[in-house]
Each structure stands twice: as C-alpha cells, then as structure tokens.
Amino acid sequence: MPKLALIPPHDHHRHHRQLLLIFLLISATTAAPASATTNYQVFREAPQFYNSPTCPSIHTNGMCCDQAVHVAMTLDTAYLRGSMAAILSILQHSSCPQNILFHFIASATANHQHFRYTISRAFPALVFQIYPYDSKAVSGLISTSIRSALDCPLNYARNYLPNLLPRCLRRVVYLDSDLVLVDDMAKLAATPLGDSSVLAAPEYCNANFTSYFTPTFWSNPTLSLTFSGRKACYFNTGVMVIDLQRWRAGDYTTKIVEWMELQKRMRIYELGSLPPFLLVFAGNIAPVDHRWNQHGLGGDNYR
C-alpha cells in the first residue's frame, strides 16, 4: 500500500531538517555485534527523549496504563528500517515521549530476539512488548491480490489486533511500518470516536468506492445491499485509532474473517487486506483529519 507520512502544516524548512535528522540517526550498517553469532541489522543509538514538565506521570507495569499513549505496529525483517524510522519520528515529535508504549506484532516464526536486540540497542529507554502472531489461521484465507506484497500474512495482523494485545488495553493507535510522523502522537490518539464508532481513520469519499469490489459482488442481489443505509467511503487502514473494547464487544474479527472466507468461495474483491475492513466498517467510522495522512506520498503506482 502507499507509504504514509503524517505531516502537520508546519514550516517546510523545519520539516526538511527533521527528516534529515531522522535519516542521519537511523543510518544502518549490517555489521554484527562482537558477541553475536548472527548478523543483525544495527542502527545508531537515538538520543534520549524526555517528557515536558506538564506531562502526567504514568505507571508502565503490564503495558496497560490508561494515561499512556499506546501505539501498535507490525515488525518484519524486510521493513525493519522503516519501523525504526517510524519509532524515532514518533518520539522526536512527542511532548511526552516517555508516556508512549509500543506494542509490536511479529510473526511467531520470526526472530524475536533479533527485534528486541535491535530496538533496545537503538532506543534503550523505549518501553515496548513484542507479541507473537500465528499466521497459520489467516494463511488459508488470503487470496492473491494485484500486488504480491499485499499477500503477506503479517498485513492481516490488524484484523486480530484486539485478540493479540492485552485485554486491559482500551485504545490503541495502529500505524503501518512505512510512515514518518511529524506531529505529536497524543493529538492523533485523542481523536474522538463518538458514542459508537469502533475506529477512526482518514476517509476519502471522492474515491471510486465501487472499484474496490468485483462485478460479481455488485451483481449479487444480496451482497450489493451490504452498504445499504451506510455512507460508505474508502478509508486508509494504515492510520487508525481503535477502541479495542468496542471491537471485542462487537466481535469484529469474526465479521472480517467471514468476508475473507466468502472471498475464497467467490472472488468479490481484488486488493489484499483492505476490502474486508471496508465491508465491515465503511460508513460507520469516525474521521481522522487528512493532515495526519499524506495519502499516496511515495507510493508505487506502477500497477
């Protein structure tokens, strides 16, 4: 999916300096530490980021503090450099960086020791947890899409996020691993969800919504009524604020999986993990201001 950059309307020269700093700080080498027997990606240690005097004190025991800002991302060896850039940019632009807790989802078969070593070495004070994601269940539900990169099982981890994270968590900001954030994460995390919305995301109602589903879907008299009574718009799942308790109460993971099972029987969409989200949530989400998502910036538009 297109790479994302979360950019507020600040001075462009300041923005360029910030991106340059990010580039300089996370320049990677492939040299292994002397004591390691495996070649790990090694990143330079980032500076320590401290809370401003007005930040509330939090207790990070158990990763469940309601006063903290909780960020969820996936970890993958191929995208690790992007993840490190995202982490740095989040800390760098936060007024309360020590109040941000990171929840990383990684394949159960991935080298979690590698991830822990790499992250801890670059960000020694970072509070984070890595959760194993067993992709076996979803692997049988993935249909080939127009881009092979979208078929990676880890792309579907967001479907199971409320089941993977501690049940004590109430709200989390889910971010794709290919973004750079240049404003305070706490502002995004505070996006209002209203009385009933399960999630908030950037909506694009000028997009051709019908193109996300096949003629088979629209010609079926039952399926075509899916969005009846809903002002359904395309939204980007790479930037989402999620109420985990509402998700669990509504069993939305099951609803998403049911659409994926139907897709295996009759092809109703073409584009990876996004359409099931649209089928379940489109028209019923809270909006995220578009300034939080520079849609399509850096995207590969070859196909």
Side-chain angles (χ1 to χ4, degrees):
M1 67 180 296
K3 292 186 177 180
L4 306 169
L6 310 184
I7 303 176
H10 294 332
D11 182 89
H12 287 292
H13 296 294
R14 178 173 173 265
H15 169 58
H16 290 159
R17 288 196 301 271
Q18 291 167 339
L19 292 183
L20 178 59
L21 176 60
I22 291 172
F23 175 79
L24 292 175
L25 287 175
I26 67 163
S27 297
T29 70
T30 55
S35 60
T37 58
T38 304
N39 285 337
Y40 289 165
Q41 296 182 63
V42 180
F43 298 82
R44 297 181 184 178
E45 183 176 326
Q48 175 68 53
F49 297 99
Y50 297 96
N51 284 353
S52 66
T54 58
C55 294
S57 298
I58 67 168
H59 299 285
T60 60
N61 184 32
M63 303 293 289
C64 290
C65 179
D66 286 340
Q67 288 72 44
V69 173
H70 295 272
V71 178
M73 301 172 62
T74 58
L75 283 180
D76 179 75
T77 303
Y79 284 95
L80 188 55
R81 180 188 292 262
S83 299
M84 299 295 280
I87 296 167
L88 179 62
S89 68
I90 291 169
L91 298 174
Q92 185 182 20
H93 296 92
S94 173
S95 57
C96 302
Q98 292 171 298
N99 290 6
I100 301 177
L101 308 185
F102 287 83
H103 304 263
F104 298 117
I105 312 298
S107 170
T109 60
N111 188 341
H112 290 201
Q113 180 183 352
H114 171 201
F115 293 144
R116 273 190 288 269
Y117 172 85
T118 302
I119 295 171
S120 298
R121 187 177 186 275
F123 305 100
L126 194 72
V127 180
F128 70 94
Q129 183 65 264
I130 300 176
Y131 305 88
Y133 167 58
D134 187 351
S135 61
K136 293 178 182 177
V138 75
S139 295
L141 297 174
I142 296 175
S143 301
T144 56
S145 63
I146 60 173
R147 288 171 55 198
S148 59
L150 299 178
D151 300 337
C152 173
L154 199 59
N155 287 339
Y156 294 81
R158 73 192 85 185
N159 299 1
Y160 303 89
L161 203 61
N163 301 331
L164 296 170
L165 299 181
R167 296 192 67 84
C168 55
L169 285 187
R170 298 174 180 271
R171 175 181 287 221
V172 69
V173 179
Y174 173 85
L175 300 175
D176 272 350
S177 300
D178 58 353
L179 56 79
V180 169
L181 186 143
V182 290
D183 202 357
D184 195 335
M185 169 60 72
K187 298 177 185 177
L188 177 59
T191 300
L193 293 177
D195 295 331
S196 59
S197 293
V198 175
L199 62 86
E203 285 186 297
Y204 297 88
C205 292
N206 59 339
N208 182 5
F209 188 79
T210 59
S211 66
Y212 288 92
F213 303 95
T214 64
T216 300
F217 175 87
W218 293 113
S219 62
N220 185 291
T222 301
L223 297 178
S224 60
L225 294 176
T226 300
F227 299 105
S228 178
R230 296 156 58 181
K231 187 183 177 183
C233 298
Y234 159 77
F235 64 89
N236 195 318
T237 54
V239 180
M240 294 190 291
V241 181
I242 303 174
D243 186 312
L244 298 172
Q245 291 187 329
R246 290 180 183 177
W247 182 304
R248 295 181 185 116
D251 197 15
Y252 287 99
T253 293
T254 297
K255 292 177 172 64
I256 291 174
V257 168
E258 287 173 348
W259 282 112
M260 295 177 66
E261 290 173 341
L262 178 61
Q263 164 77 352
K264 294 297 289 186
R265 298 195 298 270
M266 55 187 295
R267 197 163 183 85
I268 58 175
Y269 55 80
E270 301 287 354
L271 189 64
S273 61
L274 172 64
F277 262 82
L278 299 180
L279 288 161
V280 173
F281 293 112
N284 292 324
I285 71 170
V288 165
D289 193 292
H290 285 186
R291 76 189 186 98
W292 285 104
N293 181 38
Q294 296 299 311
H295 187 60
L297 180 64
D300 179 3
N301 296 318
Y302 180 72
R303 289 188 66 184

